[in-house]
Amino acid sequence: MAPQRFREQFDQIQRSMPDVPLAMGPDDAAEFMYEKGVVLARDGEEARLVEDTVRAHFTETAGLVGEHVRRASPETNRSGITRIQVGDPGEGDRRGDRAVANALRALRAAEGRTGRRLVSRNHVVHIAPVNACPGDEPVPAQPTEQSNPAPAEGLYDADTAVGVLVIDTGLMRDYRSYPLLARAQGDFQIKECDDDGVLQQYVGHGTFIAGLVAAVAPNTDLTVSNALNDAGAVLESEFGDKLFEAVDKSGWPDILSLSAGTSNGRTDGLLGVQAFMDELRAQRTLLVAAAGNNGSATPFWPAAYADLPEYASSVLSVGALRSDGEFGACFSNHGGWVKVYAPGERLISALTGFIEPVPYVYQHSTYDDCRYGFSYACTCQSPRHTGVLSGDQADPDKPDQVMFEGLATWSGTSFATPVAAGMIASHMVAHKETDPRAARQQLLAGNPEFAEVRGAMVPALRPQTWRPVPAGTAGPGA
């Protein structure tokens, strides 16, 4: 039996959020995760309408008094979102939540009358997911390997440096030992290793991203926020506030690099980040966001805001190219809502262990074949390893362990995103352009590069210092 990657990662995230019962959605389709027993609504009159409508629905259809329908978070927050309890979070299992589904169904008529979305699941937002994580787990770089992309030429100039804010998992304690990150600032990863001194899963994600920005765009003021510190996951009801907190602390940057999100089965965004997205639109900041690693055309938010006309100028969604740069990576989400692609497979950047080597135990096993049906030697299969969570694999009690000593190889749209962000920052410096949104438009308009993704020719951003790596069997796959 092949590894059940989404379910393995579901369990990993559930362990990081022990007080929040989670379910898979929709209806065990394993596309996203959400909080059981709770829905979201906007504060004020809309929250009251949701409460009253759901209470009446349960009373009429299930013979219940509906007294269990109540505010779960009555306080007002920056995002203007209220959690409303509509069921017992302890009922059912992880395959779904009938009470939440019924609550959503109860509001359909009201939403049709108002022409406005009134209610939502409380989704789990996570670092850009296979299916809820990066495209693979990191692999130690060989001693002879250098960063890829390699450091671009250029000097730091405080007067012309572009401000880039990375909202992710935080910086590793020894990050300044990596020369490209010597000037970076921001939050540390709260806990890097477990009690046995083994690197925890997802740790180093933010540092890896920061290293990619610094390599592509040396003239940047780079700040990293650890808003997604806990296994890279946060509830949608908290996500908007965390984004606000990050920009309030650091100031609105020129470019915000975000390698996190979720699908939700809809085409109109996330209720929990709507206030932040509206504020973003009023700023000059460009949000560069990862398209996600589900190998799907389903919109992944916030990246998919790039396809909504009112946000198109303020958001750029980024998919991943495979290591040869000619085709899309097998794991990359795709579709018209993904506006550009950049190298995102087997990139090399800073992880940890520059001062002292750090052990890592693989959590997930590789597959015998590409899970998406591609024919090249993708990261689904190579390099092979056995993980702790894949109990049906060979030698489940002997997971593979490696040592990280600085640089690592890693894959995902998480990492294509900072490459694209770095290229926009470099364009701003080279052309003395102070508007990041104008720089994005100029860069894409003057870019002659394309790649093939699922049979479509799409814009591709490839840094000059990036070295393509042969992808094995030729051809774009399935």
Side-chain angles (χ1 to χ4, degrees), residues 350-362:
L351 190 73
T352 189
F354 285 96
I355 297 175
E356 183 177 344
V358 183
Y360 178 77
V361 175
Y362 282 101

Side-chain angles (χ1 to χ4, degrees), residues 204-221:
H205 193 261
T207 303
F208 195 94
I209 287 171
L212 291 170
V213 174
V216 177
N219 193 14
T220 51
D221 285 323

Side-chain angles (χ1 to χ4, degrees), residues 98-117:
R98 184 171 297 179
V100 169
N102 285 334
L104 298 177
R105 190 174 300 115
L107 269 297
R108 285 177 183 169
E111 289 181 331
R113 290 193 300 272
T114 63
R116 178 176 170 89
R117 187 178 183 188

